[in-house]
């Protein structure tokens, strides 16, 4: 009798979680730091829409834009701890993961144009970099584009000498730190959500970013001069906690992979136009002056920043530089 009662008790205890498990959706928290009205912001919403549709609601994606859940560094730590399941940080922010090779993508004047960037990331470079994440308990799912950086201050930045002594906010990459130093300026790592105020109050003099981020964060309102220099590229890696991802039922994971592939195509297809539109709006605002480099000015920047390539070897290692050099047919010395 006692055995029976115990068995019934055990059955009732087990019945509850199994039944509720069947009904409760799997939650994916997707945290990011930018506004919704940007390529990454739109990409995250597209993934949510498709993931929920393809899994018939078995998965619910909660998107937290604008650093509303975590700021830059915190979000990477939260992913490793499993408090958030999906992120799309810029590849310049991977150092806290102990994977420095991604910073090779921040080398100045590396990608000739958007087509070169796309080719690189769809090919062996992108895959090789993702392999580096595996040992960290992180799985890379996709690369999302956000175009080329502009750079700004409250004075025109046309020649390397114009950077002398200015403080620039950078997002985390030691390669960016190096090229700003090559220009005689003082770089400072700062969370994305703090940049507007730091520019406004003069904690830093300038920053670099893409047009969509300048527009949505209103950086252009507190920077008198922006140089549309295209000196470096901003891309994101969509990453998940591997334990979470590998623990999903295989059919669900397959649907999520399909949703991610489509959300990636979507994001990358809108990135150029979103940035072109953002630049047009910044221009129309009349609040800042846009500058474009002539050939001589560009060459002067390139020459001044060149020492970063030599320095990079000690930071990111020779293998990734060799791979990029081979794939893009560029001189990495
Ligand atoms: C930055 O911090 O400047 C960028 O990484 C923001 C972003 O994610 O686009």
């Amino acid at each position: 009798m006692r055995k029976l009662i115990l068995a019934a008790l055990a059955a009732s205890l087990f019945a509850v979680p199994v039944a509720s498990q069947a009904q409760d959706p799997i939650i994916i928290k997707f945290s990011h730091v930018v506004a919704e009205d940007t390529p990454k912001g739109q990409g995250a919403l597209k993934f949510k829409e498709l993931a929920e549709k393809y899994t018939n609601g078995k998965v619910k994606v909660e998107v937290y834009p604008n650093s509303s859940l975590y700021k830059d560094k915190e979000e990477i730590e939260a992913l490793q701890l499993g408090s958030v399941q999906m992120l799309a940080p810029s590849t310049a922010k991977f150092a806290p993961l102990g994977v420095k090779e991604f910073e090779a993508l921040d080398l100045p004047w590396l990608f000739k144009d958007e087509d070169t960037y796309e080719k690189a990331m769809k090919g062996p470079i992108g895959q090789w970099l993702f392999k580096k994440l595996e040992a960290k308990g992180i799985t890379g799912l996709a690369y999302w584009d956000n175009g080329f950086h502009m750079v700004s201050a409250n004075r025109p930045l046309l020649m390397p000498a114009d950077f002398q002594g200015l403080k620039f906010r950078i997002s985390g990459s030691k390669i960016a730190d190096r090229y700003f130093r090559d220009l005689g300026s003082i770089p400072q790592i700062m969370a994305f959500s703090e940049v507007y105020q730091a520019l406004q109050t003069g904690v830093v003099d300038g920053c670099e970013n893409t047009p969509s981020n300048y527009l949505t964060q209103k950086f252009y309102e507190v920077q008198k001069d922006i140089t549309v220099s295209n000196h470096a590229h901003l891309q994101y890696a969509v990453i998940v906690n591997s334990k979470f991802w590998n623990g999903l039922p295989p059919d669900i994971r397959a649907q999520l992979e399909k949703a991610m592939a489509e959300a990636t195509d979507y994001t990358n297809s809108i990135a150029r136009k979103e940035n072109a539109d953002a630049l047009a709006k910044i221009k129309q605002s009349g609040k800042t002056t846009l500058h474009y480099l002539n050939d001589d000015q560009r060459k002067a920047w390139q020459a001044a920043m060149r020492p970063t390539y030599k320095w990079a070897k000690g930071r990111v290692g020779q293998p990734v530089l060799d791979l990029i050099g081979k794939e893009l047919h560029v001189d990495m010395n």
Side-chain angles (χ1 to χ4, degrees):
M1 187 64 186
R2 227 178 106 211
K3 261 192 191 156
L4 264 181
I5 293 173
L6 280 178
L9 198 67
S12 73
L13 278 176
F14 280 111
V16 176
V18 170
S20 75
Q21 256 173 25
Q23 283 155 15
D24 287 350
I26 297 164
I27 307 285
I28 295 183
K29 287 189 185 167
F30 187 162
S31 168
H32 69 79
V33 300
V34 295
E36 286 193 334
D37 191 14
T38 57
K40 177 161 63 178
Q42 291 297 302
L45 291 176
K46 179 58 82 181
F47 173 71
K48 171 184 168 65
E49 175 201 320
L50 298 175
E52 292 178 355
K53 186 168 118 192
Y54 293 158
T55 62
N56 289 318
K58 285 191 195 121
V59 168
K60 195 169 172 307
V61 181
E62 295 174 359
V63 180
Y64 297 90
N66 265 324
S67 312
S68 53
L69 197 58
Y70 299 108
K71 290 188 196 175
D72 307 16
K73 228 171 95 189
E74 297 163 2
E75 66 176 16
I76 301 245
E77 284 157 11
L79 187 75
Q80 288 192 295
L81 291 170
S83 327
V84 64
Q85 289 72 38
M86 187 175 282
L87 304 174
S90 81
T91 55
K93 293 183 184 168
F94 275 32
L97 275 175
V99 188
K100 295 173 185 157
E101 288 88 343
F102 279 87
E103 289 183 6
L105 302 174
D106 302 320
L107 280 164
W109 314 100
L110 178 63
F111 301 112
K112 194 165 77 260
D113 49 30
E114 274 296 339
D115 290 340
T116 314
Y117 159 76
E118 260 177 43
K119 199 182 128 223
M121 299 316 283
K122 279 193 182 143
I125 300 171
Q127 289 317 308
W128 190 92
L129 287 170
F130 272 163
K131 282 224 167 61
K132 296 277 157 202
L133 295 176
E134 282 169 12
K136 307 290 173 186
I138 303 286
T139 301
L141 298 182
Y143 290 102
W144 288 1
D145 190 8
N146 193 10
F148 284 97
H149 279 300
M150 316 193 286
V151 61
S152 62
N154 286 316
R155 66 155 88 139
L157 301 167
L158 297 172
M159 286 299 279
D162 300 327
F163 287 77
Q164 192 65 42
L166 294 185
K167 284 184 257 149
F168 283 90
R169 179 268 174 176
I170 57 166
S171 70
S173 168
K174 281 278 184 272
I175 297 289
D177 179 284
R178 197 66 233 168
Y179 65 66
F180 273 111
R181 286 185 199 280
D182 285 344
L183 295 169
S185 56
I186 306 143
Q188 188 177 326
I189 295 176
M190 186 182 289
F192 186 60
S193 58
E194 290 161 15
V195 180
Y196 176 84
Q197 214 190 346
L199 292 170
Q200 193 187 32
T201 56
V203 169
V204 290
D205 302 300
C207 65
E208 61 173 0
N209 231 303
T210 59
S212 56
N213 280 341
Y214 268 88
L215 179 72
T216 51
Q217 300 298 319
K218 301 191 178 1
F219 297 160
Y220 70 99
E221 291 186 358
V222 287
Q223 293 280 267
K224 288 203 183 77
D225 296 278
I226 300 177
T227 304
V228 187
S229 49
N230 299 336
H231 62 281
H233 197 271
L234 177 58
Q235 59 284 320
Y236 309 111
V238 185
I239 53 178
V240 283
N241 178 299
S242 302
K243 206 165 151 202
F244 166 78
W245 193 248
N246 297 333
L248 289 170
D251 57 325
I252 299 261
R253 196 168 51 237
Q255 296 305 325
L256 294 179
E257 276 164 0
K258 183 172 164 223
M260 182 53 69
E262 288 175 32
T264 296
D265 285 346
Y266 173 78
T267 310
N268 292 340
S269 76
I270 63 167
R272 284 185 212 191
K273 187 168 174 342
E274 288 258 323
N275 279 303
D277 289 352
L279 191 58
K281 282 187 189 145
I282 291 169
K283 193 172 180 182
Q284 269 162 27
S285 77
K287 293 196 168 153
T288 187
T289 306
L290 297 181
H291 304 275
Y292 292 82
L293 299 178
N294 65 31
D295 285 349
D296 288 343
Q297 290 163 339
R298 190 175 310 103
K299 279 185 193 142
W301 287 42
Q302 288 170 340
M305 290 167 151
R306 196 65 203 174
T308 295
Y309 277 71
K310 194 164 257 158
W311 184 86
K313 283 181 193 139
R315 172 72 183 171
V316 301
Q318 195 65 46
V320 69
L321 298 176
D322 285 347
L323 178 64
I324 292 176
K326 185 172 137 243
E327 288 298 315
L328 299 185
H329 309 291
V330 288
D331 175 13
M332 302 299 281
N333 291 305

